[in-house]
Amino acid sequence: MIQVSELSYSTDDGIKVLEDIHLHVDQGQSAYLVGPASSGKTLLLGLLGAIVPPQKGQILVHGRNVARLSRDRALELRRRIGFLPQAFAPLPRTVFDNLLFKLRVLGEDREEADEKALLALETVGLIRERGTYAEDLPPVERIQLGLALALCNSPLLLLLDEPFEGLDPDEQETIGTLLSKIRDGRATLVVATRGPIPRSAIADRTFSLREGRVSPT
């Protein structure tokens, strides 16, 4: 699913953020990228998701060379990737309407959008909260909603940025269990976190990102 080689990235001021990154994740695997704040985890997810164009090196996602994609092809790839941003903030709508809005924007008709939204909510355990305003959800259920949004259009790949942030240990274990369930459904996940990884989370591969370099752990 993901093959990264010789990837480097510098700021406009010439400061190296990522240097000579090599990374491999197979389809259906769950990979955890662990590193401190400001270590480049969010940037690396943006590169994998074709949101940030690469400067040097090669990124293959599902057989597509991200650096060589046209603007339209990059947009097409981004539509096939589920993304949970750090400090995710839902729309000021109900839980169900958050999903429905995304699916309709992606071109789904109302009936199919309804079915996909309900399936995603069932998967993450929020089906009973579908009529709740998203802003009223507690932190752990907001993360569950963010995961439902990432999942609802059956993506090729899930990129999750700090899904455990701001949660207490029990809530982190809840999200870890949910990510393991999603992984068991044959989804491919790349999860960026400061760590530690909850015991309930299945990690097929674990990488450390420090001082701009990735190493397997």
Side-chain angles (χ1 to χ4, degrees):
M1 179 60 72
I2 296 172
Q3 179 70 54
V4 177
S5 56
E6 300 180 340
L7 176 66
S8 296
Y9 195 96
S10 301
T11 66
D12 292 338
D13 298 330
I15 299 173
K16 284 190 175 182
V17 183
L18 301 174
E19 186 173 2
D20 196 29
I21 301 294
H22 293 259
L23 190 68
H24 177 85
V25 182
D26 287 331
Q27 186 168 348
Q29 284 190 327
S30 183
Y32 282 75
L33 184 67
V34 183
S38 303
S39 59
K41 300 188 302 295
T42 297
L43 172 61
L44 183 52
L45 291 185
L47 288 160
L48 294 177
I51 299 169
V52 179
Q55 295 174 343
K56 180 182 178 182
Q58 180 171 268
I59 304 173
L60 299 178
V61 177
H62 202 245
R64 299 169 176 85
N65 188 329
V66 173
R68 296 181 180 178
L69 294 177
S70 66
R71 181 177 178 180
D72 288 345
R73 292 292 186 182
L75 179 59
E76 179 183 336
L77 178 60
R78 287 199 296 271
R79 290 165 67 98
R80 301 295 311 279
I81 295 173
F83 188 70
L84 174 65
Q86 185 177 10
F88 162 71
L91 296 173
R93 303 176 180 218
T94 67
V95 166
F96 183 77
D97 283 343
N98 265 262
L99 274 75
L100 193 62
F101 178 81
K102 174 180 176 176
L103 290 163
R104 293 304 298 275
V105 167
L106 291 175
E108 302 285 358
D109 63 42
R110 179 57 191 258
E111 183 177 356
E112 189 168 0
D114 284 355
E115 291 179 0
K116 288 187 174 183
L118 291 172
L119 178 60
L121 291 175
E122 183 70 40
T123 299
V124 303
L126 280 185
I127 194 70
R128 293 183 178 179
E129 285 74 28
R130 60 186 179 275
T132 302
Y133 278 93
E135 295 170 309
D136 295 334
L137 294 173
V140 67
E141 290 185 350
R142 284 199 181 199
I143 298 298
Q144 288 172 261
L145 174 56
L147 290 171
L149 283 162
L151 279 170
C152 64
N153 61 321
S154 303
L156 294 167
L157 172 67
L158 290 171
L159 302 175
L160 313 177
D161 196 358
E162 298 288 1
F164 312 115
E165 188 176 43
L167 304 181
D168 66 32
D170 287 342
E171 292 170 337
Q172 291 180 7
E173 293 297 337
T174 295
I175 296 302
T177 298
L178 178 54
L179 296 185
S180 295
K181 175 184 174 183
I182 292 170
R183 175 259 188 198
D184 287 344
R186 302 305 299 163
T188 306
L189 293 83
V190 178
V191 183
T193 178
R194 297 177 192 179
I197 300 170
R199 288 175 298 175
S200 58
I202 296 174
D204 297 298
R205 307 206 68 188
T206 307
F207 302 93
S208 173
L209 176 56
R210 293 182 179 277
E211 299 180 354
R213 293 182 177 273
V214 165
S215 58
T217 60

